[in-house]
Amino acid sequence: MKVKWIISIITSVLLLTLVNPAFAADERELKDELIYDTLVDRYFNKKIDNDYEVNALDPAAFNGGDFDGMASELLFVKEMGFTALSIGPVFSTGTYDGKSVLDYTEFERHFGTDEEFAALVAEIHDQKMKVIVDIPTQQVNENHVWANDNPEWFTENENGSLALDTANPEVQQALISTFTDFIETYEIDGFRLQNSDQLDPSFVSRFSEAIKNVRNSYILSDREMGDVPGFDAVVLPGVEETLREGYKNFDQDLTEVSSIMEQSEGKIIQVDSLTGSRFTADVVEASGFPPTRWKLLLTQLLTMPGIPVVQYGSESAMNGTKLPESHQILDMAVDKELVEHITNLTSLRNSSEALRTGELEVLHDEDDWLVYKRSNDEETWIIAINNSSSTKNISLSADVIGEGQELRGLFESDIVRQEDSGEYRVTQDREIAEVFHVTEETKLNSAYIATLVIMYLVFMLFLWIVWRKGKQRKADAAKQRASEKTV
């Protein structure tokens, strides 16, 4: 325990001294964001007067989360270092996840009122975070308020829900009018369009232009897809499957992970999504140990190019193979090990432009060991992820690191210095992820060391003198008592 405590102190000092403070929310661009993805109903229940037929024991029912609960517990997300909060759909709905929309102009009564939503947005902004709201259009409720007057706007899905025909100009105009009013009223910072791969491209383009004319907001996709005009970022195709397959257990080939990193700049990168199973379920199926697997995967996700989206519950290794099992109530009283790991990684990413948008160079992607470099003109980082069951070694040349540098590990506290051969030899234990900061090698100052030695000797001499004097005083006192007894 003492060793872990010392390491945590060293890590905290390095995190505070090696990087610059994160910049303000209004200075951030999408490429700088770290998004925490959650659902209002599953976050935190504060009010009971909106708990209409709530059943926290039924995973398919409303569990009670509300706007006030989310506003009261924002520090949980803020302190983990996330810069944006995606809260899912908030509109009147037939289901806890908000997808079965009944009316886009009304808030879901289980979640709260207009005033409570406005207060939530204000509190998120006060915490220097941004807020993103989901817009479902392809699986809305069969009793949607538009369905009676405009049945031609919809097609019916196999499960009985309705899909808005976003190629229809009237539908486009209705959605644009509704959400330009919404964003002007509540000043949210972005929309994520659900089932984005099913939307008409002309709608996406028109919608994005109209929204941005009102407020400079993000327009995001929720699906893996190619670039579509109007989206500020789309989910990178193959990213979830590749990352989950690579890290669900040790001794997994990481060459596909290396390949997908080359394509991830400017794309949304994520491991889970709120539409299906959790990464933890993959780990359990592969007989892996979830906390270790999550540490490696989170290091990968938060140091590679792209815009990371982390689903709620990742910090507690939430499990679940399908909905609604994978939408458990958020547990804030979790073991802090993963929370601290996420916090350390987000602190680095928020403070380092090189980790957010710097160049990527893959240095090694064989033998289940991935080593890569993130750098710009000001700073350089080496990320080493040993996903194997054995210790690994690699020698990095001065061409990669530079002359007279050292690699300071932020989590395992390793320091790697240049050898006589001119190379830097990195040794890494099994199932360990490390982030090395490349800095100029610290030289020992002989004069300073000599001064410390002299001070130490003087101090020891002082203690010896005090001890001698104390001993002499005791001897003198003993003689005095003996003399008094004789008299």
Side-chain angles (χ1 to χ4, degrees), residues 12 50 90 219 221 260 268-269 286 304 315 320 349 383 406 423:
S12 298
N50 57 20
V90 296
I219 306 298
S221 83
I260 208 162
I268 295 171
I269 52 175
M304 65 185 280
E315 67 284 345
R349 190 179 182 97
I383 298 91
E406 64 183 19
E423 296 186 325

Side-chain angles (χ1 to χ4, degrees), residues 60-80:
F62 283 94
N63 285 182
D66 47 44
F67 296 144
D68 273 8
M70 184 169 282
S72 69
E73 301 298 328
L74 279 180
L75 283 180
F76 180 73
V77 177
K78 171 69 174 179
E79 290 179 350
M80 277 194 291

Side-chain angles (χ1 to χ4, degrees), residues 142-203:
E142 60 182 353
N143 295 315
H144 192 285
V145 293
W146 290 349
N148 286 334
D149 295 334
N150 306 100
E152 72 279 5
W153 288 7
F154 297 87
T155 58
E156 186 173 354
N157 298 316
E158 291 183 0
N159 63 0
S161 66
L162 301 179
L164 277 161
D165 177 12
T166 56
N168 184 321
E170 292 183 348
V171 171
Q172 293 183 8
Q173 189 54 48
L175 288 169
I176 289 170
S177 176
T178 298
F179 288 105
T180 51
D181 288 347
F182 180 84
I183 200 168
E184 185 172 20
T185 301
Y186 296 105
E187 297 185 343
I188 66 166
D189 305 292
F191 290 119
R192 183 170 58 183
L193 302 181
Q194 290 193 348
N195 300 101
S196 52
D197 56 343
Q198 301 173 28
L199 303 178
D200 185 84
S202 67
F203 163 68

Side-chain angles (χ1 to χ4, degrees), residues 438-462:
V438 179
T439 63
E440 290 187 10
E441 184 174 353
T442 53
K443 302 293 185 181
L444 296 177
N445 189 310
S446 56
Y448 177 69
I449 293 175
T451 301
L452 289 179
V453 170
I454 293 171
M455 290 176 64
Y456 175 76
L457 292 174
V458 170
F459 179 67
M460 294 303 295
L461 178 61
F462 169 76

Side-chain angles (χ1 to χ4, degrees), residues 58 226 242 292 297 367 384 400:
D58 181 358
T242 300
T292 299
L297 181 51
D367 307 318
V400 172

